[in-house]
Amino acid sequence: MSQKKLKKLRKEKEVISGVNKVVEKVSGVREILKKNWKFLVLLCMGIIVLYLNAMWGDFVSDDYASITQNPDILSVKAAMSASFFANLYKTIIARMFGITSSIPFHIASLILYLLVCVVAFIFLSLFFDGLVTKIALVIFSFLPVHVEAVSWISGEPYLLTSLLVLTELVNLVLFLKTKKKKYLILILLFGTISFFTDRIRGFSFVLLTGLVLISFKDKLRIKIDLWKIFTLVLFAVGLLLLIGWPLIKNRVESVNSGVNMSDSIFYDPLFQYPTAIPKYLQLIIFPADLTLYHTMYIIPVWLNWLIVLTYLGAVVWFWFKNKSIFFALAFIFVATAPSMAPVKVSWLVAERYVFLGSLGAALIMAMYFEKWWQKKQILMLIGLTGLCLIYGARVIFRNIDWQTNHNLWVNTCQVSPNSHNAWNNIGDDYDKLANLENTEEGKLRQYYNSIKGFGQSYAVKPNYADAYHNQANIFYKIKRLDLARSTYETALKFNPGLFQTYITLIQIDLMEKNETELLRHLNIIQQMKPNDLQVAYISAMSYAQIGKTEEAKKIAEIMYKQF
């Protein structure tokens, strides 16, 4: 080969090397942010406007147990549990701003959402061109299915886990492209935080890693052995089950106990997946029936199966035809998979479960818009604007549902009228509203609404002992002791272990001077909790009130010696 040709080849190699370096540089995090900071600022401003009316929402639903009624909310030590970082996040806010106002917690959730959108943009920018990525993030940020995770304070773990998983994926891609160890260290760091935030849903990183590798092996310039990836994922699943089994076991026992007990701790997969997959797709694209409890599954079985088979067929088809579309389609349920385990550790469907997975749906829609953007730019722009206006309006109105406990449960009962939990919760809410009334007439009106709510709850689920007990409490408050007694007894028929029910029945026995029933109920609680201080005190006071002073003295002496 002549010297001229050699020089020409060297120059071509230098040019190619330079181009590669430029591409590598452009794909870096700083470069992506520097190049797109104006778009990201506008996107974040739009999101803030979109969720502005959620910032003044009250504490609702599970927020009470985890924050306002949590005696350990200010304790860092108490936060050290399986969900350490999710708990620590709330503890830090509580220590800084207190727990009298929900606004700091809402602002923190909104900040997390903004970070998720920014990191999601960076992640997609590593594989897709600017137009697709920008359209995808605009659609993603406007999706109404996100409101549950963003506007509900208790949805924060899903935001935090999604942020961590996306951050891990960004560092994974950068590590594969550059082979720099700092990215590997960051993966381990964020992976550890994710593990101690949500051991179950943080596992989606492992599944998504496999998806990224098989979808973009050419762009990442790596060789993929599918059997090795399958073995790695299988090993990771086994390791997760081994480490997380105590947590999973406790969750299974709590979810599948009492009135919720069923013959099996497993869902029927032939019912679960053909029901859940179409429902999630509908909630992402057509979010008409957003609710905390999804119990209304009205799509015919044949149509569910048609949607599932069409979806799976599309995934297989685009595996061969277009890896980018395959990635977007598969991302929806690969990211959601940890929340769709066949073990009954979670709801069949919940909007917060598909928060991260909805990024895949937004990406598919973005690809469609991008395909026709050059030829029909004005039409596509009108379509995208219209979609954002519709979704944006739905987000704002859905935020209103989360502003108060009453709004939440009214909406949930309207959308999910066959949910015994929803009716029980609205009955409890009317009970609380009665305490805010200044007149007896107002209190009675709220109490009657409460009675109706609890009645509807056990009408939906006839063996729901808690609803009977709660309704009996209202009868007791309005001094209908006859109805209170009969309703308490019905509750005990379905759940004989309701300790508090016996305590209230003992109070009714004393008020009605029914010594026979009093002694029977006292005997039951003494057997239930033989060494309990509260039981001993109630027994002593009850014996004293019916004239059995010797029995009362004996119990008092035992209390003095033991306690």
Side-chain angles (χ1 to χ4, degrees):
M1 186 178 293
S2 66
Q3 291 296 322
K4 288 184 178 180
K5 288 185 178 181
L6 284 172
K7 288 180 179 180
K8 187 177 179 180
L9 283 173
R10 287 195 190 101
K11 285 182 179 180
E12 288 178 354
K13 287 181 179 181
E14 287 174 1
V15 170
I16 293 171
S17 177
V19 170
N20 287 338
K21 286 179 181 178
V22 170
V23 171
E24 191 65 45
K25 185 177 180 181
V26 171
S27 66
V29 173
R30 288 184 182 179
E31 288 71 22
I32 291 172
L33 293 176
K34 186 177 180 180
K35 185 179 179 181
N36 300 281
W37 70 271
K38 292 181 181 179
F39 167 78
L40 292 172
V41 168
L42 289 174
L43 181 70
C44 290
M45 289 174 63
I47 293 170
I48 291 170
V49 171
L50 204 58
Y51 283 91
L52 193 61
N53 68 327
M55 297 300 98
W56 286 268
D58 295 338
F59 293 108
V60 297
S61 189
D62 294 352
D63 298 340
Y64 293 113
S66 62
I67 299 174
T68 59
Q69 297 173 2
N70 181 4
D72 298 321
I73 185 62
L74 300 177
S75 172
V76 175
K77 183 178 179 181
M80 294 181 182
S81 65
S83 303
F84 170 62
F85 286 100
N87 294 334
L88 182 63
Y89 172 89
K90 291 178 181 176
T91 297
I92 291 172
I93 297 172
R95 291 177 74 94
M96 291 176 64
F97 303 101
I99 58 174
T100 55
S101 173
S102 61
I103 294 176
F105 293 90
H106 282 301
I107 292 175
S109 290
L110 181 57
I111 292 171
L112 275 181
Y113 187 45
L114 295 173
L115 290 173
V116 168
C117 290
V118 171
V119 177
F121 181 86
I122 294 169
F123 173 63
L124 294 184
S125 296
L126 295 172
F127 297 111
F128 300 93
D129 66 47
L131 182 59
V132 170
T133 303
K134 288 176 180 178
I135 296 174
L137 261 295
V138 169
I139 295 173
F140 178 76
S141 62
F142 274 77
L143 287 178
V145 77
H146 293 172
V147 174
E148 183 172 291
V150 181
S151 299
W152 184 23
I153 295 170
S154 292
E156 162 265 321
Y158 297 87
L159 296 173
L160 185 56
T161 303
S162 298
L163 176 61
L164 292 168
V165 169
L166 286 170
T167 305
E168 290 175 79
L169 289 172
V170 168
N171 283 287
L172 171 71
V173 175
L174 293 175
F175 171 72
L176 292 174
K177 284 188 173 185
T178 65
K179 303 298 186 290
K180 292 181 179 180
K181 292 183 179 179
K182 67 176 183 179
Y183 296 118
L184 186 59
I185 294 171
L186 288 172
I187 293 171
L188 295 174
L189 173 62
F190 288 110
T192 302
I193 297 173
S194 177
F195 179 79
F196 287 105
T197 298
D198 190 330
R199 294 184 185 181
I200 305 300
R201 290 167 189 90
F203 179 70
S204 60
F205 168 69
V206 176
L207 302 177
L208 290 171
T209 295
L211 179 62
V212 167
L213 293 177
I214 63 175
S215 300
F216 302 117
K217 62 178 181 179
D218 294 333
K219 291 185 179 182
L220 295 172
R221 299 191 298 276
I222 57 174
K223 293 182 179 180
I224 298 298
D225 188 330
L226 292 178
W227 281 109
K228 285 185 178 180
I229 291 178
F230 176 76
T231 304
L232 178 64
V233 172
L234 197 64
F235 173 77
V237 171
L239 186 63
L240 175 70
L241 290 174
L242 181 65
I243 297 174
W245 177 246
L247 179 65
I248 296 171
K249 185 173 180 290
N250 290 337
R251 177 66 177 168
V252 168
E253 289 175 352
S254 64
V255 170
N256 299 279
S257 60
V259 296
N260 297 314
M261 186 177 293
S262 57
D263 296 332
S264 174
I265 64 170
F266 296 98
Y267 286 114
D268 178 0
L270 295 179
F271 166 77
Q272 179 190 6
Y273 296 112
T275 301
I277 290 174
K279 187 65 181 178
Y280 278 128
L281 293 174
Q282 177 253 304
L283 288 171
I284 294 170
I285 302 169
F286 305 108
D289 55 342
L290 300 177
T291 177
L292 182 58
Y293 298 134
H294 282 279
T295 54
M296 297 289 288
Y297 302 106
I298 59 175
I299 300 177
V301 175
W302 68 267
L303 185 55
N304 277 337
W305 275 103
L306 179 62
I307 294 170
V308 171
L309 293 175
T310 301
Y311 168 77
L312 294 176
V315 171
V316 174
W317 172 265
F318 285 110
W319 161 259
F320 295 103
K321 297 295 183 179
N322 189 317
K323 285 293 195 299
S324 294
I325 298 177
F326 162 78
F327 171 79
L329 283 169
F331 190 96
I332 301 172
F333 293 107
V334 171
T336 313
S339 297
M340 296 179 69
V343 182
K344 294 180 181 179
V345 295
S346 56
W347 298 98
L348 183 64
V349 171
E351 293 153 29
R352 58 194 180 275
Y353 295 168
V354 79
F355 173 75
L356 179 57
S358 63
L359 181 62
L363 182 57
I364 293 171
M365 288 187 267
M367 289 177 180
Y368 173 82
F369 279 105
E370 191 269 344
K371 181 180 179 181
W372 299 99
W373 194 268
Q374 297 298 329
K375 296 180 180 179
K376 302 179 180 180
Q377 185 172 354
I378 295 176
L379 184 62
M380 291 297 102
L381 189 59
I382 292 172
L384 181 61
T385 302
L387 183 68
C388 290
L389 287 174
I390 294 170
Y391 280 175
R394 186 70 180 99
V395 167
I396 292 170
F397 282 108
R398 181 59 176 155
N399 285 337
I400 296 172
D401 293 336
W402 286 97
Q403 285 184 343
T404 68
N405 227 29
H406 188 67
N407 288 358
L408 175 63
W409 298 127
V410 168
N411 166 264
T412 308
C413 289
Q414 289 173 343
V415 180
S416 306
N418 63 339
S419 169
H420 62 281
N421 288 311
W423 288 107
N424 184 64
N425 286 328
I426 202 170
D428 182 63
D429 183 65
Y430 279 119
D431 180 23
K432 291 175 181 176
L433 290 175
N435 297 326
L436 302 177
E437 295 287 345
N438 296 321
T439 64
E440 285 301 315
E441 182 181 353
K443 287 181 182 291
L444 283 175
R445 184 176 66 254
Q446 301 294 7
Y447 282 141
Y448 287 141
N449 287 333
S450 180
I451 289 168
K452 291 177 184 177
F454 292 129
Q456 189 63 34
S457 179
Y458 61 68
V460 172
K461 192 177 184 71
N463 67 336
Y464 191 28
D466 287 358
Y468 289 103
H469 172 86
N470 293 334
Q471 188 184 63
N473 286 341
I474 306 301
F475 287 135
Y476 181 83
K477 289 182 179 181
I478 64 175
K479 303 187 186 308
R480 286 300 307 270
L481 301 185
D482 55 332
L483 294 175
R485 180 185 290 278
S486 63
T487 312
Y488 279 132
E489 289 172 349
T490 304
L492 291 172
K493 182 174 72 173
F494 293 114
N495 187 357
L498 288 174
F499 178 76
Q500 192 59 44
T501 301
Y502 288 110
I503 300 300
T504 314
L505 279 171
I506 287 170
Q507 292 175 337
I508 295 174
D509 295 335
L510 289 169
M511 294 168 71
E512 294 181 340
K513 298 181 180 180
N514 189 334
E515 185 174 327
T516 303
E517 285 298 293
L518 174 65
L519 294 175
R520 185 173 73 84
H521 292 143
L522 285 173
N523 182 56
I524 292 173
I525 66 169
Q526 287 165 3
Q527 291 180 4
M528 289 175 69
K529 297 184 177 182
N531 297 314
D532 186 77
L533 178 60
Q534 183 186 11
V535 170
Y537 176 78
I538 291 170
S539 299
M541 295 298 295
S542 299
Y543 286 138
Q545 288 189 46
I546 62 174
K548 293 182 177 293
T549 54
E550 291 301 319
E551 286 85 346
K553 287 179 180 179
K554 289 179 182 178
I555 294 175
E557 289 175 0
I558 295 172
M559 288 171 60
Y560 179 76
K561 291 178 181 179
Q562 291 186 357
F563 304 105

